[in-house]
C-alpha cells in the first residue's frame, strides 16, 4: 500500500462561511486553522494547499473567556530602540479593526512558512454581517452546534 499524495489538479476547494457571533475566540480559531490547512479532509497532504476558503462574518462579536478581555495584552514593536508597544484585547475589540483579534489567533495557529502564508490568503474576516463573496455561494458552518463550549452563553 502506498501513501496518497494530493496533486494540485486533484484538489477540490470549497467556500465555507462562519458566523462568529458569541463564539469563543480560541475554539473558533482552531477550527478555522484546521479548515485552512485541509486537515479535515481524508486527502490531506502536508506540503500542498488543499484547505477550504473560509469567510468569517461578525468577527467583532467574538467572546474571550474569563478576564482575557481586560488582561490579555498584544505586543508589537515599532522597529525603533525601546519601541515595544502593547494594547489590551478590549481596546482592540472596541477599536477600528476588531477583526484583527481573530485574524492573529488563526495566524498564530498555522505553522510559519511560505505554505502557511498562502493558506492564510484563503481566509477572509469581516467585522460585520456583510461580505462580498455571495457569488462563491459559501455554505454555512455552525461552529456553535459542534460543541457546547464553542458558544459563550
Amino acid at each position: 500500500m502506498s501513501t496518497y499524495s494530493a496533486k494540485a489538479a486533484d484538489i477540490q476547494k470549497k467556500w465555507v462561511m462562519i458566523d462568529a457571533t458569541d463564539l469563543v475566540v480560541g475554539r473558533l480559531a482552531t477550527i478555522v486553522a484546521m479548515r485552512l490547512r485541509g486537515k479535515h479532509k481524508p486527502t490531506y497532504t502536508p506540503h500542498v494547499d488543499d484547505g477550504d476558503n473560509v469567510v468569517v462574518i461578525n468577527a467583532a462579536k467574538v467572546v474571550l473567556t474569563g478576564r482575557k478581555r481586560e488582561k490579555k495584552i498584544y505586543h508589537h514593536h515599532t522597529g525603533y530602540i525601546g519601541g515595544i508597544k502593547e494594547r489590551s484585547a478590549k481596546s482592540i475589540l472596541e477599536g477600528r479593526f476588531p477583526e484583527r483579534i481573530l485574524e492573529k489567533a488563526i495566524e498564530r495557529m498555522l505553522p510559519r512558512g511560505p505554505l502557511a502564508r498562502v493558506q492564510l490568503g484563503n481566509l477572509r474576516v469581516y467585522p460585520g454581517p456583510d461580505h462580498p463573496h455571495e457569488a462563491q455561494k459559501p455554505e454555512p458552518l455552525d461552529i456553535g452546534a459542534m460543541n457546547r463550549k464553542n458558544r459563550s452563553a
Side-chain angles (χ1 to χ4, degrees):
M1 180 180 266
S2 62
T3 303
Y4 175 79
S5 183
K7 314 287 186 294
D10 303 337
I11 295 170
Q12 303 266 321
K13 283 185 166 282
K14 293 192 322 188
W15 282 78
V16 178
M17 185 176 67
I18 298 171
D19 186 0
T21 305
D22 295 331
L23 293 179
V24 178
V25 172
R27 289 176 165 271
L28 174 59
T30 56
I31 293 168
V32 172
M34 186 180 69
R35 287 262 169 183
L36 287 173
R37 290 197 70 198
K39 293 190 96 174
H40 64 289
K41 295 181 179 180
T43 60
Y44 169 70
T45 306
H47 63 279
V48 177
D49 175 26
D50 61 349
D52 293 338
N53 292 291
V54 180
V55 178
V56 181
I57 58 172
N58 294 320
K61 298 178 184 174
V62 292
V63 176
L64 291 159
T65 57
R67 297 181 62 195
K68 289 188 204 106
R69 189 174 172 90
E70 292 80 26
K71 297 272 186 181
K72 187 165 178 60
I73 303 293
Y74 289 87
H75 299 278
H76 76 277
H77 201 283
T78 61
Y80 290 95
I81 297 169
I84 193 154
K85 303 284 185 181
E86 59 182 36
R87 291 181 71 190
S88 69
K90 180 180 180 181
S91 67
I92 295 173
L93 283 171
E94 292 173 355
R96 191 168 168 204
F97 301 106
E99 68 273 13
R100 288 188 181 163
I101 293 272
L102 188 59
E103 287 174 356
K104 276 293 172 192
I106 295 166
E107 177 186 342
R108 290 171 178 171
M109 287 185 186
L110 294 174
R112 309 290 185 269
L115 180 60
R117 287 190 287 275
V118 170
Q119 290 169 341
L120 202 59
N122 295 328
L123 173 69
R124 280 91 172 167
V125 183
Y126 299 100
D130 303 324
H131 65 89
H133 304 288
E134 290 298 328
Q136 282 75 28
K137 298 183 185 77
E139 60 184 49
L141 182 67
D142 191 7
I143 303 295
M146 289 181 178
N147 188 335
R148 63 181 178 81
K149 292 182 179 180
N150 291 350
R151 187 172 302 279
S152 178

